[in-house]
Amino acid sequence: MADRRTQLVTRVRGMLGEALGATRTRLADAQAELTTARERLAKVRRAAAVVPERVGAQRDRRLAEIDDRHAERIADLARRAADAAQREAPGAASADWDRWRPTPTRRAEPPGALRIGTVRIPAAEPVPALVPLLDAGHVELTGDDREGCEAVVSALLLRAVGRADPGAVRLVGYDPEHLGGGLAGFAPLGTAGLLTFVGPGGLARLLDDLVEQIRRINETVLAGEYGSLRELAAATGRRPEPWRVAVLLGGDELSRHERGQLDRVVRTGAACGVHLAVRGVPLPEDTTVTRVGAQTDGARIGGPAGLPVRLDPPPPPALVTETCREVAARVNAGPAPTPFTDLLPPPEQMWREDSATGLTAPIGEGPHGRPVLLDLGDYPPHALIGGPSGTGKTNLIFAWIGALAARYSPSELEFYLLDFKEGVSFARFAQGRRDPSWLPHMRLVGINVNTDREFGLALLRFLAEELRRRADAAKKHEVTKLAELRAVDPTGHWPRIVAVVDEFQMLLAGRDVVAREAADLLEDLARRGRSQGIHLVLASQDVRGIEALWGRPALVAQFTLRIALPKALRILAERNDAAQSLPRHHAVVNAESGMAEGNQVARIPSASDWETWSELQHRLWRMRPQDAAPARLFDGDAIPRLADAPDFRALSAPETGHPRTPVALLGEIIDVQARSAALRLPRAPGRNLAVLGTRVDEACAVLDAAARSLARQHRPGTARFSIACLDPDADPAARSLYEDLADDAAWYDEETVGELMVETAEGLGAPGPPHYLLLFAVDAAAGALAARIGRRTGLEELRRILYDGPERRTHVLAWWRGVARMRADLGGPAARTDMIGAWVALDAHGGELGSSLYPGTGGPDWYPRPWRGLFFDRAVHRTGQVIIPYGPAR
């Protein structure tokens, strides 16, 4: 039992020990967990204490990042806004005053918005605060900051004036409180008519005028084709009307009429370039009105809740005054000419017009921007252009020729151009060494013809012959007008002809034969040319005192188209003085014979510059027909060459025998076709030539050309040329001729010339080849020829050769240094001169030639001039023919 109890106790004790051990273990674990939990709690408490600081730092960091991004965004937007403002308002529209200068826009381009200050953006690049005005709307200034309002007005006006072309902005000031003092700096614009002031009580009249301007622009300029002047300028590249800005600075309360007119200007003015800048005059609510409030505590655009801005200071007074003076000076000097390209059709439309019923082309633009057209046809048929030197007469002719040439092909239009003043500006229409192109329409260009009135007469004769040809064709086809002739004869060549004669009064100057015949031809061409498509354009610097023209009212009446340049006299009707107030680059175009009711003012483009014209000429030249030939160029200062003469190149020797009738070419005739003066040498009495005068070079040139042209008609060895030179000054030219004629020529001098006369006279009875005696200064051998050689003297033998030689193919071409000397060699003052069938007078006056050499009494109307001669062949001519001796062959 005891053992059992002991076992039980032992067992209980073991169980209690195990329980105690397990309890102690659990207690240790619990204490460890408690310790861990306490440590964790401490950590949590420590971490919890750190969280607010870390979260606050992260929050602050995040807020700082947001602030930085916001600032960068604002700066970027400010830069973009500044760039946009710079594009919208470049140059003078937004530049700071310390570097401000006028920067006009390109032609017809709207100036854009205008700066009045900067937008208030903290810590950002300044952004210009812009206000739309020109072509956009109106500006109303409000607020108690009077100085700020005045600064805005000055800035707007100066920037507008400096951004637009000079004269394109016109100001009207209404300042009843300060009587214009608020705009005093702009006063210099008044000298050019760009600024006017309206006094107290004149507001109604001012508003009425603005409304009238709007009505006129809508009716006559926009005319339903465009909605605004800005739209018209964008479509056409031109702006026909200026901007008008009315500055209204306070005043009494508006009347009902004034309020109504003001409302009309606000609603409709911007489209017509009429704008208001007002202070103290309330404007009605409208989308075109921009309101700027200038308060002492700041300014805003768009009303009290609008965009806050910092207003710019007013522009320096000296800058305003100097700018306005420069603008006024440029306006007073006259507007610049418009581009020549404004007159031209698009390239694809060139040469598309038909000239059957007339010619029409623009010459410039009118006050409203519409082209001013010039017509030539049945009415008006002819034109008269006048203007003092330097007013653009040549430029106008260039512009008109270019406008016509671009529209009508050479088969529709031909030009004949003659310039009596010195200069070569018209030579560009013909082929030149520098530029091989030419105007395909041009058939004749005459320059430097101020001393060659005969060339102008030749042109009129040519046109008269062309008129006769066309009249005969019209009669044949039983029609009366060119349009009808072209309809019934479509295969014929019937272009319209425009003959331009610049400084035409030179042709009609004096009371000689040339002036009388020229006036007669002009009158006939003017009267009958209209029906046959021949049109005259006469231009002059001053037409006073031209008796040959103004003494013929029937002639003047045909020139119904009058074009008067600034200060032109007697071009328009007597009481029409419109040309006296014209600015530069303008002309009065009048198709009603100069009567005032027919006036149109045109702004003439710049067309006379070489590069400007060259582009058009080269384009038309490349379009020319394959068979087109260059225009005939006659230069009064140039000396023609025999080798270039068409008549000389056409000469040739027959394959057998002698030429039927040899022809000696003496020089170039002053005429349209560049023909040579030809002396026919048949086997007939008197077929000899005398060259009369003391000019060695010219006399040698005449004999040289005659000999070379004769030699060209003979095969080598079939003609004889006897050259006698009796003047040392003529020796080089005579020697050159002798050397070139080679074996066919023989040389004689003063000692042997007598032998030549005897030998030639004795051989007249025997058959032989043609013999040409070229005697240089034959009168110098009077002593040697006076000596008797055999039965006769040399002079007697010379007279015998002159009488009998031509019938035996022996011809004398001799130079005498004076008419009296020739008469002496022929037998004295009473000697017969019919043995001299032709002569060329150089510096021998018409009175010296007398009735024995020239038909009639008193001799020809011949006044010698350098390198010109008067050719007369009694077998052919009724009057003398002016020629230009050919230049030296070498």
Side-chain angles (χ1 to χ4, degrees), residues 775-826:
L775 309 180
F776 291 77
V778 63
D779 55 284
L785 294 178
R788 188 173 296 277
I789 303 176
R791 295 179 300 170
R792 301 174 183 268
T793 65
L795 286 176
E796 292 174 339
E797 297 292 9
L798 173 60
R799 294 166 195 159
R800 180 184 173 192
I801 296 169
L802 290 170
Y803 275 113
D804 300 333
E807 296 182 74
R808 294 169 174 80
R809 292 207 296 257
T810 300
H811 306 274
V812 176
L813 295 88
W815 164 36
W816 278 275
R817 292 174 298 183
V819 177
R821 294 190 178 194
M822 182 191 72
R823 291 184 186 278
D825 288 347
L826 296 183

Side-chain angles (χ1 to χ4, degrees), residues 103-134:
T103 55
T105 61
R106 289 178 295 180
R107 187 168 178 263
E109 180 183 341
L114 305 173
R115 169 179 162 175
I116 62 170
T118 55
V119 180
R120 292 190 296 181
I121 303 177
E125 179 179 346
V127 177
L130 306 181
V131 172
L133 181 65
L134 303 185

Side-chain angles (χ1 to χ4, degrees), residues 10 104 114 169 179 190 280 407 446 470 495 535 550 555 569 572 593 602 661 677 723 747 838 843 880:
T10 302
L114 305 173
V169 174
L179 300 179
R407 286 168 171 77
R470 295 185 175 207
H535 308 284
W550 293 106
L555 170 59
L569 299 174
L572 303 176
S593 299
T661 303
I723 302 173
W747 181 263
D843 57 351

Side-chain angles (χ1 to χ4, degrees), residues 136-190:
H138 318 280
V139 176
E140 180 184 355
L141 301 170
T142 60
D144 55 8
D145 186 359
R146 186 184 187 90
E147 293 183 357
C149 291
E150 292 177 352
V152 171
V153 171
S154 298
L156 284 175
L157 298 184
L158 184 61
R159 293 188 187 279
V161 169
R163 189 70 184 125
D165 285 337
V169 174
R170 297 183 182 178
L171 308 179
V172 181
Y174 175 69
D175 187 9
E177 296 181 12
H178 294 85
L179 300 179
L183 302 176
F186 295 88
L189 294 176

Side-chain angles (χ1 to χ4, degrees), residues 363 372 374 384-386 396 561-568 571-572 576-583 585-591 594-596 598-604:
I363 193 60
V372 176
L374 292 183
L384 194 60
I385 302 173
L396 185 144
L561 177 57
R562 311 286 178 85
I563 304 174
L565 293 158
K567 309 301 181 184
I571 295 295
L572 303 176
N576 187 353
D577 59 355
Q580 303 308 307
S581 58
L582 278 180
H585 314 300
H586 286 68
V588 175
V589 176
N590 189 302
M595 301 302 293
N599 286 350
Q600 294 185 79
V601 176
R603 187 180 177 191
I604 310 302

Side-chain angles (χ1 to χ4, degrees), residues 545-560:
I546 305 177
E547 299 176 2
L549 178 61
W550 293 106
R552 295 172 177 254
L555 170 59
V556 179
Q558 301 299 325
F559 289 82
T560 53

